[in-house]
Amino acid sequence: MSSEKPSTRRRVILKLSGEALRESGSRDNISPEIVDRIANEVKEAVNSGKVELGIVVGGGNFWRGASASARGMDRATADYVGMLATVMNSLALQGALEEKGVACVVQSAIEMKNVAETFIRRKAAKQLEDGKVVIFAAGTGSPFFSTDTTAALRASEMGAHMVLKATMVDGVYDSDPKKNPDAKRFDRVSFQECISRQFKVMDATAFSLCMDNKIPIVIFDLGKHGNVTEAILGADVGTVVDAEG
């Protein structure tokens, strides 16, 4: 892990799914009220002065490369379309944060200089040190990698203490809690168990990358108001995935 992070503040990467930006049942791709709530919770955490925050946003509210590929589209092309979807979500979140007075920058893994900075690792690290929220857009910049993997990669590059994945469930279960009312929820589980049992809450590449770089992951429920703030500040709000389990 990098030694660039300051010792007095935790550096974390928050992973938001694209679907998280859409109100349930809404025809909007991006629901302004949802983005506004997330921005308020991020602002509260950042204003505490205790954290440096990077954010990775998915693009599933607009497009899913794997789904398009399954319907006959070239997979690499489909994934690039998905990367552009993450840029739209990132800009929406940036706008909401800046409206609330939160210093924020979007760094894109694909160059698009009119709307975002191009990702440069050292520059992003300096921006985090300076107290800016850095939103990492366009995935890894390469096809065949998920935004979960992007979050794990950026956390490794930035020397983050933790990855926080906001989902629509309150942690990791041994089976789908929506289908199995007896599903067991873990308070803590190991990377190895998540990989070997193929838990779908995050992809195996992301789990492996965080395991290799000793970066814990917290899986928590985005739907509960206040959880984003609490997760960023280190409260016990979900399942911890780490080497110990």
Side-chain angles (χ1 to χ4, degrees):
M1 293 174 61
S2 167
S3 61
E4 294 175 3
K5 59 180 179 293
S7 59
T8 56
R9 292 182 292 186
R10 294 170 66 248
R11 181 174 292 181
V12 298
I13 299 295
L14 173 65
K15 168 64 198 326
L16 300 169
S17 68
E19 290 92 333
L21 304 185
R22 176 195 292 154
E23 182 74 53
S24 178
S26 173
R27 298 180 64 181
D28 294 331
N29 291 103
I30 301 174
S31 298
E33 59 273 19
I34 297 294
V35 177
D36 186 70
R37 176 175 73 83
I38 293 171
N40 276 326
E41 296 191 27
V42 167
K43 176 183 178 179
E44 184 177 348
V46 170
N47 284 354
S48 73
K50 297 177 180 179
V51 293
E52 296 173 357
L53 181 65
I55 302 176
V56 174
V57 190
N61 52 327
F62 285 105
W63 183 266
R64 284 196 171 277
S67 299
S69 175
R71 292 161 59 191
M73 189 174 188
D74 172 71
R75 176 59 190 270
T77 300
D79 281 356
Y80 279 118
V81 175
M83 291 178 216
L84 298 180
T86 72
V87 177
M88 290 189 283
N89 286 336
S90 297
L91 293 174
L93 183 56
Q94 179 192 35
L97 287 168
E98 289 182 337
E99 185 180 352
K100 299 177 186 305
V102 178
C104 180
V105 62
V106 174
Q107 286 211 5
S108 172
I110 297 174
E111 184 176 358
M112 45 185 72
K113 59 186 179 180
N114 286 353
V115 296
E117 296 183 7
T118 302
F119 172 67
I120 300 174
R121 183 182 66 84
R122 286 184 175 273
K123 186 173 183 180
K126 182 62 167 60
Q127 289 168 336
L128 290 171
E129 289 174 8
D130 290 342
K132 293 182 179 179
V133 173
V134 180
I135 304 177
F136 299 103
T140 66
S142 299
F144 305 103
F145 293 98
S146 71
T147 49
D148 280 352
T149 296
T150 302
L153 177 61
R154 296 295 180 245
S156 301
E157 290 177 306
M158 295 297 106
H161 293 86
M162 187 169 287
V163 171
L164 310 170
K165 180 169 181 181
T167 71
M168 305 317 291
V169 293
D170 62 347
V172 179
Y173 287 78
D174 62 356
S175 59
D176 189 342
K178 295 180 180 178
K179 298 178 180 178
N180 177 16
D182 297 320
K184 174 189 172 185
R185 179 185 176 278
F186 297 94
D187 292 324
R188 191 177 181 188
V189 64
S190 70
F191 289 117
Q192 197 58 57
E193 185 166 5
C194 288
I195 294 168
S196 63
R197 297 180 64 176
Q198 299 183 346
F199 292 151
K200 301 300 183 183
V201 71
M202 209 165 191
D203 66 69
T205 304
F207 279 135
S208 296
L209 192 53
C210 284
M211 180 172 64
D212 290 344
N213 290 287
K214 299 180 175 58
I215 303 171
I217 302 169
V218 173
I219 312 292
F220 72 98
D221 181 10
L222 175 67
K224 183 178 179 181
H225 287 220
N227 262 7
V228 171
T229 301
E230 292 192 13
I232 294 171
L233 294 178
D236 181 11
V237 294
T239 297
V240 177
V241 184
D242 59 15
E244 305 297 329

